[in-house]
Amino acid sequence: MSLPAGLSLNAVTGVLSGTPTTAGSQNVTFTLTDSAQPPQSVTTTLPLNVLPTLTFTTSSLPARVQNTAWTSPLAVTGGVAPYTFSVSGFLPAGVSLDTAQGILAGPATQVGSTPLTFIVTDSGSPSQRATVALTQVNAGPLSQLPTPQPLGRQS
């Protein structure tokens, strides 16, 4: 029997444990032998699926301009879709999070920087969970510079 790297089988208790180091699927054959004389054995082959670790790939949020429409997706890899997104704490006023799609949207109504912690949970069994800390920067409204006037001529 060959187990994925990082996993081991306790021959006495039959407990499969450890932390697999690579994702993938394979069939593993297990043989159980009793202690009777003569010993009896039973063999079975079971699928073993090691899922990729759920990870945020979004590492920053683009700056937003106050009262200007904006959207920004939160990207993840691994785990089992569909995912559920949430935020620890409060989003800036005017900003919302689509918990099924992981999309931030809406015009921020206040200026400033807001540290945010986003959480994603996959639908695997058991589920995986990942977090990322990002800062949302909301800049003030764009100001319009006065239109330059043509230079006058002196006589």
Side-chain angles (χ1 to χ4, degrees):
M1 169 186 65
S2 176
L3 291 172
L7 292 181
S8 64
L9 178 68
N10 182 312
V12 175
T13 63
V15 173
L16 182 64
S17 63
T19 302
T21 58
T22 57
S25 297
Q26 70 183 65
N27 289 323
V28 179
T29 301
F30 297 93
T31 301
L32 174 64
T33 304
D34 69 13
S35 60
Q37 289 302 323
Q40 295 183 1
S41 297
V42 63
T43 300
T44 188
T45 300
L46 300 171
L48 180 63
N49 299 313
V50 178
L51 299 174
T53 302
L54 180 62
T55 306
F56 272 97
T57 56
T58 300
S59 59
S60 65
L61 295 173
R64 301 174 50 146
V65 176
Q66 182 183 17
N67 297 322
T68 302
W70 174 89
T71 62
S72 182
L74 298 172
V76 297
T77 60
V80 178
Y83 307 110
T84 303
F85 294 85
S86 61
V87 63
S88 175
F90 299 98
L91 290 169
V95 178
S96 63
L97 173 64
D98 179 325
T99 59
Q101 300 297 315
I103 298 174
L104 292 165
T109 58
Q110 60 194 73
V111 176
S113 296
T114 307
L116 301 167
T117 299
F118 294 99
I119 302 140
V120 62
T121 305
D122 76 353
S123 58
S125 179
S127 65
Q128 294 185 63
R129 181 177 162 141
T131 62
V132 66
L134 303 171
T135 299
Q136 174 64 63
V137 177
N138 299 319
L142 296 176
S143 58
Q144 186 171 355
L145 297 174
T147 305
Q149 298 298 318
L151 296 174
R153 293 194 329 195
Q154 273 185 324
S155 350

